[in-house]
């Protein structure tokens, strides 16, 4: 006799996909000895089926520690690449290979090599939202949750290039009092928030706290009572006595906020353009539950990179993990 889950995974929808994708993915997890790592910006169904949800630093740590044979990365390309840098012998799958990142794309390796050559005495601290090639040209990687801590550990007389996000870089400069040479990259999603609409929301919801990711522009950050990585924002809204929050980051995080603080009210910060979903990351949202299932079933698309780049990118990644214990 079949169990219910087995029976459901054998029923198909038009197009041949299993009727119960959740059960089918659970079965594939066991079959492949796979772990599903998901970022907070993924659609709610993917967050719910994931073995581990986190911000970039937590996901890098989870990738470094997993015993699974297969890592299914429900996030964007640079995150899956990070998992591959740390796990050369594991199969790393990304449900949609086109899930890139505007910030990573704003730092092309050739131009960055010339920028670095123009500042020969500078140490390169790169935000993890960059390609493996940029990581390979960097001395230390950081994420939005440890950037300040990492820059604070570098001797004061050491000049620093910070790449690729100018907004996070400027925030780190303010927090550390250091003068950083900034690569002028940015994220399309975090630069879409409208200062005017956030102010209007604060007037309409006087009890609400505005909280923001440091990738936002300073015009938005100055209205936030708390600034942090996605994981830090999630923790903050649980511990703050406030009952209402205006959330200036990708609204995928609100799924976890609502789960962990069900009595509180979360308002996504609106984009400048009316009637668009520009505050949703178009790259993160390319991954779907269907594509995740197909990636596991077909063992593709797989993340690959040259061993030279991987080894060069591993060193600054390891420095980050050591410096952010
Ligand atoms: P986190 O470091 O908060 O995970 O941010 C990742 C990211 O892509 C923000 O846009
Ligand atoms: Fe990249 Fe921005 Fe999307 Fe984050 S939200 S993955 S920085 S494009």
């Amino acid at each position: 006799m079949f169990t219910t889950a087995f029976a459901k995974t054998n029923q198909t929808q038009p197009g041949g996909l299993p009727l119960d994708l959740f059960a089918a993915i659970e079965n594939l997890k066991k079959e492949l000895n796979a772990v599903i790592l998901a970022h907070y910006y993924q659609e709610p169904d993917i967050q719910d089926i994931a073995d581990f949800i986190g911000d970039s630093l937590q996901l890098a740590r989870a990738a470094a520690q997993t015993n699974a044979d297969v890592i299914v990365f429900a996030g964007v390309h640079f995150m899956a690449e990070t998992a591959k840098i740390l796990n050369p012998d594991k199969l790393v799958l990304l449900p949609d290979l086109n899930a890139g990142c505007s910030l990573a794309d704003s730092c092309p390796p050739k131009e960055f090599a010339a920028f670095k050559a123009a500042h020969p005495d500078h140490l390169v601290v790169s935000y993890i939202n960059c390609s493996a090639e940029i990581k390979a040209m960097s001395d230390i990687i950081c994420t939005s949750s440890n950037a300040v801590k990492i820059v604070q550990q570098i001797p004061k007389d050491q000049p620093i290039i910070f790449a690729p996000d100018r907004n996070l870089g400027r925030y780190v400069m303010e927090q550390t009092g250091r003068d950083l040479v900034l690569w002028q990259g940015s994220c399309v999603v975090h630069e879409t928030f409208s200062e005017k609409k956030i102010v209007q929301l604060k007037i309409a919801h006087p009890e609400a706290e505005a909280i923001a990711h440091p990738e936002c522009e300073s015009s938005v950050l100055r209205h936030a009572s708390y600034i942090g990585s996605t994981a830090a924002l999630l923790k903050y809204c649980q511990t703050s006595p406030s009952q209402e929050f205006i959330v200036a980051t990708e609204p995928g995080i609100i799924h976890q906020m609502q789960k962990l603080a069900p009595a509180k009210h979360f308002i996504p910060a609106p984009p400048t353009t009316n009637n668009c979903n520009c505050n949703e990351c178009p790259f993160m949202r390319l991954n779907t539950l269907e594509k995740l299932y197909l990636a596991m079933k077909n063992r593709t698309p797989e993340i690959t990179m040259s061993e030279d780049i991987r080894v060069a990118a591993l060193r600054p990644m390891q420095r980050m993990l050591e410096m952010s214990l």
Side-chain angles (χ1 to χ4, degrees), residues 39-41 54-57 76 78-79 101 127-129 143-145 187 190 213 215 228-231 249 284:
H39 191 266
Y40 291 123
Y41 296 163
D55 70 0
S56 303
L57 179 62
V76 289
F78 77 80
M79 295 178 175
C101 167
Y127 186 32
I128 199 164
N129 297 34
T143 75
S144 59
S145 63
C187 156
H190 287 85
H213 194 281
E215 280 178 29
S229 75
T230 44
T249 191
M284 286 277 181

mmCIF file of all heavy atoms in Angstrom, residues 39-41 54-57 76 78-79 101 127-129 143-145 187 190 213 215 228-231 249 284, ligand 1:
data_model
loop_
_atom_site.group_PDB
_atom_site.id
_atom_site.type_symbol
_atom_site.label_atom_id
_atom_site.label_comp_id
_atom_site.label_asym_id
_atom_site.label_seq_id
_atom_site.Cartn_x
_atom_site.Cartn_y
_atom_site.Cartn_z
ATOM 1 N N HIS A 39 17.679 31.964 0.597
ATOM 2 C CA HIS A 39 17.787 33.341 1.101
ATOM 3 C C HIS A 39 16.392 33.852 1.451
ATOM 4 O O HIS A 39 15.394 33.378 0.910
ATOM 5 C CB HIS A 39 18.459 34.247 0.047
ATOM 6 C CG HIS A 39 18.833 35.588 0.605
ATOM 7 N ND1 HIS A 39 17.994 36.678 0.505
ATOM 8 C CD2 HIS A 39 19.933 36.009 1.294
ATOM 9 C CE1 HIS A 39 18.579 37.717 1.108
ATOM 10 N NE2 HIS A 39 19.756 37.343 1.590
ATOM 11 N N TYR A 40 16.371 34.851 2.356
ATOM 12 C CA TYR A 40 15.102 35.441 2.802
ATOM 13 C C TYR A 40 14.307 36.107 1.683
ATOM 14 O O TYR A 40 13.140 36.425 1.878
ATOM 15 C CB TYR A 40 15.368 36.492 3.880
ATOM 16 C CG TYR A 40 15.861 35.930 5.191
ATOM 17 C CD1 TYR A 40 17.072 36.359 5.736
ATOM 18 C CD2 TYR A 40 15.110 35.002 5.894
ATOM 19 C CE1 TYR A 40 17.520 35.873 6.956
ATOM 20 C CE2 TYR A 40 15.550 34.508 7.111
ATOM 21 C CZ TYR A 40 16.753 34.945 7.633
ATOM 22 O OH TYR A 40 17.190 34.468 8.834
ATOM 23 N N TYR A 41 14.933 36.377 0.544
ATOM 24 C CA TYR A 41 14.211 37.037 -0.553
ATOM 25 C C TYR A 41 13.514 36.038 -1.478
ATOM 26 O O TYR A 41 12.939 36.446 -2.487
ATOM 27 C CB TYR A 41 15.170 37.880 -1.406
ATOM 28 C CG TYR A 41 15.834 39.058 -0.719
ATOM 29 C CD1 TYR A 41 16.961 39.657 -1.279
ATOM 30 C CD2 TYR A 41 15.334 39.606 0.456
ATOM 31 C CE1 TYR A 41 17.570 40.746 -0.684
ATOM 32 C CE2 TYR A 41 15.959 40.686 1.057
ATOM 33 C CZ TYR A 41 17.077 41.251 0.481
ATOM 34 O OH TYR A 41 17.687 42.332 1.070
ATOM 35 N N GLY A 54 18.525 31.976 5.525
ATOM 36 C CA GLY A 54 19.398 32.924 6.202
ATOM 37 C C GLY A 54 19.773 34.099 5.343
ATOM 38 O O GLY A 54 19.348 34.201 4.179
ATOM 39 N N ASP A 55 20.599 34.987 5.937
ATOM 40 C CA ASP A 55 21.181 36.065 5.145
ATOM 41 C C ASP A 55 22.455 35.523 4.500
ATOM 42 O O ASP A 55 22.811 34.347 4.691
ATOM 43 C CB ASP A 55 21.407 37.323 5.998
ATOM 44 C CG ASP A 55 22.527 37.186 7.038
ATOM 45 O OD1 ASP A 55 23.164 36.113 7.125
ATOM 46 O OD2 ASP A 55 22.781 38.165 7.773
ATOM 47 N N SER A 56 23.161 36.365 3.773
ATOM 48 C CA SER A 56 24.320 35.880 3.007
ATOM 49 C C SER A 56 25.389 35.241 3.898
ATOM 50 O O SER A 56 25.979 34.230 3.522
ATOM 51 C CB SER A 56 24.960 37.030 2.239
ATOM 52 O OG SER A 56 24.008 37.617 1.411
ATOM 53 N N LEU A 57 25.630 35.837 5.059
ATOM 54 C CA LEU A 57 26.665 35.285 5.943
ATOM 55 C C LEU A 57 26.225 33.935 6.509
ATOM 56 O O LEU A 57 26.982 32.958 6.492
ATOM 57 C CB LEU A 57 26.988 36.270 7.079
ATOM 58 C CG LEU A 57 28.041 35.777 8.076
ATOM 59 C CD1 LEU A 57 29.384 35.540 7.377
ATOM 60 C CD2 LEU A 57 28.233 36.770 9.215
ATOM 61 N N VAL A 76 20.649 33.721 -5.424
ATOM 62 C CA VAL A 76 21.151 34.181 -6.724
ATOM 63 C C VAL A 76 22.541 33.592 -7.002
ATOM 64 O O VAL A 76 23.137 32.944 -6.141
ATOM 65 C CB VAL A 76 21.149 35.730 -6.817
ATOM 66 C CG1 VAL A 76 19.718 36.245 -6.912
ATOM 67 C CG2 VAL A 76 21.895 36.360 -5.665
ATOM 68 N N PHE A 78 25.687 34.602 -7.317
ATOM 69 C CA PHE A 78 26.908 34.780 -6.509
ATOM 70 C C PHE A 78 26.827 33.978 -5.210
ATOM 71 O O PHE A 78 27.853 33.556 -4.665
ATOM 72 C CB PHE A 78 27.188 36.271 -6.252
ATOM 73 C CG PHE A 78 26.318 36.910 -5.193
ATOM 74 C CD1 PHE A 78 26.578 36.761 -3.840
ATOM 75 C CD2 PHE A 78 25.212 37.673 -5.557
ATOM 76 C CE1 PHE A 78 25.770 37.351 -2.874
ATOM 77 C CE2 PHE A 78 24.403 38.271 -4.601
ATOM 78 C CZ PHE A 78 24.680 38.103 -3.259
ATOM 79 N N MET A 79 25.622 33.726 -4.713
ATOM 80 C CA MET A 79 25.466 32.961 -3.471
ATOM 81 C C MET A 79 25.766 31.484 -3.725
ATOM 82 O O MET A 79 26.451 30.824 -2.931
ATOM 83 C CB MET A 79 24.040 33.117 -2.927
ATOM 84 C CG MET A 79 23.707 34.529 -2.503
ATOM 85 S SD MET A 79 22.003 34.672 -1.918
ATOM 86 C CE MET A 79 22.005 36.381 -1.362
ATOM 87 N N CYS A 101 22.524 39.179 -10.319
ATOM 88 C CA CYS A 101 22.412 40.229 -9.301
ATOM 89 C C CYS A 101 22.917 41.515 -9.948
ATOM 90 O O CYS A 101 24.027 41.549 -10.474
ATOM 91 C CB CYS A 101 23.265 39.859 -8.088
ATOM 92 S SG CYS A 101 23.525 41.210 -6.921
ATOM 93 N N TYR A 127 32.281 43.172 -0.909
ATOM 94 C CA TYR A 127 30.983 42.675 -0.446
ATOM 95 C C TYR A 127 30.741 41.354 -1.180
ATOM 96 O O TYR A 127 31.053 41.232 -2.370
ATOM 97 C CB TYR A 127 29.942 43.732 -0.825
ATOM 98 C CG TYR A 127 28.538 43.531 -0.337
ATOM 99 C CD1 TYR A 127 28.251 42.904 0.857
ATOM 100 C CD2 TYR A 127 27.474 44.041 -1.090
ATOM 101 C CE1 TYR A 127 26.936 42.767 1.293
ATOM 102 C CE2 TYR A 127 26.165 43.908 -0.663
ATOM 103 C CZ TYR A 127 25.904 43.262 0.524
ATOM 104 O OH TYR A 127 24.603 43.124 0.942
ATOM 105 N N ILE A 128 30.174 40.392 -0.501
ATOM 106 C CA ILE A 128 29.972 39.046 -1.056
ATOM 107 C C ILE A 128 29.112 39.075 -2.337
ATOM 108 O O ILE A 128 29.188 38.151 -3.151
ATOM 109 C CB ILE A 128 29.376 38.121 0.039
ATOM 110 C CG1 ILE A 128 29.583 36.656 -0.322
ATOM 111 C CG2 ILE A 128 27.912 38.458 0.308
ATOM 112 C CD1 ILE A 128 29.386 35.698 0.853
ATOM 113 N N ASN A 129 28.333 40.164 -2.528
ATOM 114 C CA ASN A 129 27.506 40.303 -3.745
ATOM 115 C C ASN A 129 28.392 40.683 -4.931
ATOM 116 O O ASN A 129 28.338 41.793 -5.461
ATOM 117 C CB ASN A 129 26.446 41.398 -3.558
ATOM 118 C CG ASN A 129 25.445 41.091 -2.471
ATOM 119 O OD1 ASN A 129 25.793 40.475 -1.466
ATOM 120 N ND2 ASN A 129 24.216 41.511 -2.655
ATOM 121 N N THR A 143 30.006 40.682 4.323
ATOM 122 C CA THR A 143 28.573 40.706 3.987
ATOM 123 C C THR A 143 27.983 41.935 4.676
ATOM 124 O O THR A 143 28.686 42.642 5.414
ATOM 125 C CB THR A 143 27.831 39.437 4.466
ATOM 126 O OG1 THR A 143 27.661 39.535 5.872
ATOM 127 C CG2 THR A 143 28.562 38.161 4.103
ATOM 128 N N SER A 144 26.684 42.135 4.491
ATOM 129 C CA SER A 144 26.090 43.320 5.117
ATOM 130 C C SER A 144 26.061 43.172 6.642
ATOM 131 O O SER A 144 25.938 44.158 7.348
ATOM 132 C CB SER A 144 24.683 43.561 4.568
ATOM 133 O OG SER A 144 23.865 42.450 4.808
ATOM 134 N N SER A 145 26.173 41.940 7.149
ATOM 135 C CA SER A 145 26.119 41.792 8.607
ATOM 136 C C SER A 145 27.490 41.894 9.281
ATOM 137 O O SER A 145 27.553 42.035 10.492
ATOM 138 C CB SER A 145 25.415 40.490 9.005
ATOM 139 O OG SER A 145 26.133 39.397 8.542
ATOM 140 N N CYS A 187 22.574 48.314 -6.097
ATOM 141 C CA CYS A 187 21.527 47.308 -6.320
ATOM 142 C C CYS A 187 20.273 48.007 -6.834
ATOM 143 O O CYS A 187 19.815 48.968 -6.205
ATOM 144 C CB CYS A 187 21.254 46.606 -4.988
ATOM 145 S SG CYS A 187 19.611 45.885 -4.891
ATOM 146 N N HIS A 190 17.397 48.048 -4.024
ATOM 147 C CA HIS A 190 17.548 48.923 -2.859
ATOM 148 C C HIS A 190 17.643 50.396 -3.219
ATOM 149 O O HIS A 190 17.498 51.257 -2.347
ATOM 150 C CB HIS A 190 18.731 48.460 -2.006
ATOM 151 C CG HIS A 190 18.414 47.202 -1.263
ATOM 152 N ND1 HIS A 190 18.552 45.959 -1.820
ATOM 153 C CD2 HIS A 190 17.875 47.012 -0.030
ATOM 154 C CE1 HIS A 190 18.137 45.046 -0.958
ATOM 155 N NE2 HIS A 190 17.723 45.656 0.140
ATOM 156 N N HIS A 213 17.837 48.089 5.019
ATOM 157 C CA HIS A 213 19.067 47.364 4.682
ATOM 158 C C HIS A 213 20.119 48.390 4.261
ATOM 159 O O HIS A 213 19.774 49.369 3.581
ATOM 160 C CB HIS A 213 18.758 46.398 3.519
ATOM 161 C CG HIS A 213 19.825 45.372 3.309
ATOM 162 N ND1 HIS A 213 21.001 45.656 2.647
ATOM 163 C CD2 HIS A 213 19.902 44.072 3.680
ATOM 164 C CE1 HIS A 213 21.744 44.555 2.613
ATOM 165 N NE2 HIS A 213 21.107 43.583 3.238
ATOM 166 N N GLU A 215 22.104 48.555 1.944
ATOM 167 C CA GLU A 215 22.244 48.779 0.495
ATOM 168 C C GLU A 215 21.369 49.942 0.018
ATOM 169 O O GLU A 215 21.465 50.361 -1.134
ATOM 170 C CB GLU A 215 21.855 47.524 -0.288
ATOM 171 C CG GLU A 215 22.940 46.472 -0.329
ATOM 172 C CD GLU A 215 22.487 45.229 -1.076
ATOM 173 O OE1 GLU A 215 21.646 45.331 -1.978
ATOM 174 O OE2 GLU A 215 22.983 44.151 -0.742
ATOM 175 N N GLY A 228 20.307 47.179 9.152
ATOM 176 C CA GLY A 228 21.021 45.910 9.309
ATOM 177 C C GLY A 228 20.784 44.976 8.144
ATOM 178 O O GLY A 228 19.969 45.247 7.244
ATOM 179 N N SER A 229 21.500 43.849 8.167
ATOM 180 C CA SER A 229 21.328 42.803 7.147
ATOM 181 C C SER A 229 19.924 42.211 7.295
ATOM 182 O O SER A 229 19.222 42.489 8.282
ATOM 183 C CB SER A 229 22.365 41.694 7.362
ATOM 184 O OG SER A 229 21.987 40.908 8.479
ATOM 185 N N THR A 230 19.529 41.377 6.362
ATOM 186 C CA THR A 230 18.191 40.778 6.444
ATOM 187 C C THR A 230 18.011 40.023 7.769
ATOM 188 O O THR A 230 16.969 40.155 8.417
ATOM 189 C CB THR A 230 17.946 39.848 5.244
ATOM 190 O OG1 THR A 230 19.100 39.041 5.029
ATOM 191 C CG2 THR A 230 17.637 40.634 3.992
ATOM 192 N N ALA A 231 19.037 39.267 8.180
ATOM 193 C CA ALA A 231 18.920 38.505 9.441
ATOM 194 C C ALA A 231 18.816 39.456 10.632
ATOM 195 O O ALA A 231 18.043 39.220 11.567
ATOM 196 C CB ALA A 231 20.123 37.580 9.612
ATOM 197 N N THR A 249 13.618 46.883 2.488
ATOM 198 C CA THR A 249 14.478 45.890 1.835
ATOM 199 C C THR A 249 13.530 45.047 0.986
ATOM 200 O O THR A 249 12.316 45.292 0.949
ATOM 201 C CB THR A 249 15.303 45.056 2.839
ATOM 202 O OG1 THR A 249 16.292 44.312 2.104
ATOM 203 C CG2 THR A 249 14.452 44.086 3.645
ATOM 204 N N MET A 284 16.117 37.153 -7.785
ATOM 205 C CA MET A 284 15.719 36.182 -6.758
ATOM 206 C C MET A 284 14.412 35.491 -7.155
ATOM 207 O O MET A 284 14.240 34.296 -6.942
ATOM 208 C CB MET A 284 15.489 36.899 -5.428
ATOM 209 C CG MET A 284 16.749 37.344 -4.740
ATOM 210 S SD MET A 284 17.432 35.961 -3.801
ATOM 211 C CE MET A 284 18.870 36.743 -3.064
HETATM 212 P P1 LIG B 1 22.020 40.023 3.187
HETATM 213 O O1 LIG B 1 23.472 40.159 3.540
HETATM 214 O O2 LIG B 1 21.157 40.738 4.163
HETATM 215 O O3 LIG B 1 21.639 38.612 2.984
HETATM 216 O O4 LIG B 1 21.797 40.787 1.815
HETATM 217 C C1 LIG B 1 21.910 40.135 0.598
HETATM 218 C C2 LIG B 1 21.372 40.901 -0.507
HETATM 219 O O5 LIG B 1 21.443 40.504 -1.633
HETATM 220 C C3 LIG B 1 20.758 42.164 -0.236
HETATM 221 O O6 LIG B 1 20.271 42.682 -1.421
#
